[in-house]
Amino acid sequence: MSAGSEKWSQGLENSNMKAQGQLLEFLESPDWLFQEIHGPSMQYLFAHVSSSTYRDSSFLDHRMSPVPTEVKGAAFQVVNRLLKRDTRPANYIFHSAFCCSTLFCNCLQAVSDSLVMNEPSVLGHLADALAHAQNSGNFRRQNWHKILDPGLRLLEKTYPGQRGVIIKPANSANNMMEDILQLRPSKTLFMYGSLRDFLLSNLKSPDESRHMVPLFLKRLLPLADYREKLQLIDFQGLEHLQQCAVLWHTQLYHFSGLAAENESVRCLAASDFLQQPNPLVRRALD
C-alpha cells in the first residue's frame, strides 16, 4: 500500500470511528434529545440540549429553553441495529389537559432522582402519524409497533446517577397509551381535572379549542367504544362546549377502564393533588 493510500485509509478509519462515537452519543446521552422521525430522509433527528434544558423547559417542543441550535440525523437502519434492548421502560403521566399536570411534573423534577420530560415533541409527531395511518384504510398495528418501539426506547436515556425516566406526553398523544403499555410496560398515571375547569380553560382559547377538540375526539372515540355507548353518530353536529364535555368524559371513561384492567395504571384528580401535593408527588409512580 502506498503512503498516500495508507494515509487515506487511516483517515477513513478515523472518520468512521468518529461517526460511530457520535452515533453512540445519540443512543446513550440525554444531551441528544430525540426530536423527530424524518420520513423523507429515513432518519431520526436529535437536538443537542443540556441537563438544564430538561429542568428549565416547561415543554420539550418549540418552547424549549434555550431553543436548540444543533440538530443532527442518524439513519433508521443504523440506529435500530445498535439500539439497546435492555433499557428500563419510562414511566408515563398522561392527562386530560388543564389539570395541573405540568405543575405536577415540575414538582417531580424537584424531588425525583429520575429524568422528567415534559411533552417531548416527538410523541406528538408519533400520535399524529398513528391517527393518519388509522385513517388511511390499510393500518397494521404490527407495522406501527415497529415504528413506535424504537422511538420510545430513544427517550429512555438517563444521566449518570438517575434512576429512570418519567415522561408526560401532550394530551394529543393519549391515543398511544395502550400501545405504549403493550410495548414498554411501566407504571402509568392519568391526571384529570374537573369538567368545569376543562370547559372554562377551553373557553379561554376558543379558536385553538374549536380546531383541536374535534381532532382529539376523532382519535379517542373509537378507542373507548364511546360513540356506540352514546349512540353518537356525528359529534361534529354538537355545539363547541358539548364537544368539549364529550372529550373530557371520553378521556376519563377510557383511562379509568384501563386502570381497572391494569394494576400499573392509576388515576389522579387534580383536586387531590392540590390538596396534598407533597405526599402525592412523592408517591407518584412508586
Side-chain angles (χ1 to χ4, degrees):
M1 180 183 293
S2 67
S5 297
E6 186 175 349
K7 185 176 181 180
W8 178 85
S9 178
Q10 185 177 4
L12 180 60
E13 183 177 347
N14 290 339
S15 177
N16 289 337
M17 290 177 63
K18 184 177 180 181
Q20 184 83 356
Q22 177 87 86
L23 182 57
L24 290 177
E25 279 194 76
F26 292 161
L27 300 182
E28 297 175 3
S29 173
D31 283 346
W32 288 99
L33 171 64
F34 176 39
Q35 191 172 40
E36 186 179 345
I37 294 177
H38 191 250
S41 65
M42 300 187 69
Q43 287 188 320
Y44 298 111
L45 300 185
F46 300 85
H48 194 214
V49 298
S50 66
S51 58
S52 63
T53 305
Y54 296 95
R55 184 181 65 248
D56 298 338
S57 300
S58 296
F59 305 101
L60 293 171
D61 53 17
H62 62 279
R63 294 164 288 186
M64 268 190 286
S65 177
V67 177
T69 58
E70 186 178 8
V71 177
K72 293 188 176 182
F76 292 166
Q77 287 186 325
V78 177
V79 170
N80 291 345
R81 187 174 69 249
L82 296 177
L83 195 57
K84 288 185 177 180
R85 299 297 168 184
D86 59 350
T87 54
R88 177 176 178 170
N91 292 329
Y92 283 84
I93 300 173
F94 290 89
H95 58 97
S96 65
F98 312 123
C99 59
C100 301
S101 59
T102 300
L103 175 61
F104 185 85
C105 283
N106 290 341
C107 294
L108 272 177
Q109 189 85 263
V111 302
S112 174
D113 57 359
S114 295
L115 179 65
V116 180
M117 302 177 68
N118 260 311
E119 304 195 6
S121 59
V122 68
L123 291 180
H125 299 324
L126 285 166
D128 292 342
L130 172 59
H132 178 76
Q134 288 175 321
N135 292 331
S136 68
N138 59 352
F139 176 68
R140 298 290 183 273
R141 192 160 297 278
Q142 184 177 4
N143 294 338
W144 161 243
H145 282 180
K146 290 179 181 178
I147 298 172
L148 180 60
D149 183 71
L152 298 176
R153 292 175 188 275
L154 286 170
L155 292 173
E156 295 171 353
K157 301 174 288 186
T158 57
Y159 289 107
Q162 291 182 325
R163 184 175 63 171
V165 178
I166 299 172
I167 300 175
K168 177 176 80 76
N171 64 310
S172 62
N174 284 348
N175 60 329
M176 298 198 301
M177 183 177 179
E178 288 181 273
D179 291 305
I180 291 174
L181 284 171
Q182 182 178 344
L183 290 171
R184 308 294 292 151
S186 62
K187 294 178 181 177
T188 300
L189 193 68
F190 174 69
M191 286 193 70
Y192 62 95
S194 69
L195 174 60
R196 179 180 181 275
D197 289 343
F198 190 78
L199 295 178
L200 288 174
S201 296
N202 274 282
L203 285 173
K204 292 177 182 178
S205 304
D207 293 338
E208 180 182 7
S209 177
R210 289 179 187 277
H211 174 67
M212 299 305 297
V213 167
L215 294 179
F216 294 167
L217 274 174
K218 189 174 182 180
R219 294 181 183 187
L220 290 177
L221 282 173
L223 293 178
D225 295 327
Y226 201 73
R227 191 191 299 266
E228 291 76 9
K229 293 185 181 298
L230 281 182
Q231 296 183 343
L232 188 62
I233 297 174
D234 181 16
F235 67 82
Q236 308 235 9
L238 298 176
E239 296 292 335
H240 173 56
L241 282 184
Q242 291 176 319
Q243 291 184 352
C244 293
V246 172
L247 176 60
W248 177 85
H249 200 275
T250 301
Q251 293 181 106
L252 264 66
Y253 175 84
H254 180 51
F255 289 112
S256 61
L258 289 176
E261 298 170 357
N262 193 322
E263 293 183 353
S264 66
V265 180
R266 292 186 292 170
C267 295
L268 174 64
S271 57
D272 291 340
F273 161 56
L274 293 174
Q275 287 175 8
Q276 294 183 301
N278 285 339
L280 285 175
V281 168
R282 293 187 182 278
R283 288 204 307 266
L285 305 171
D286 282 344

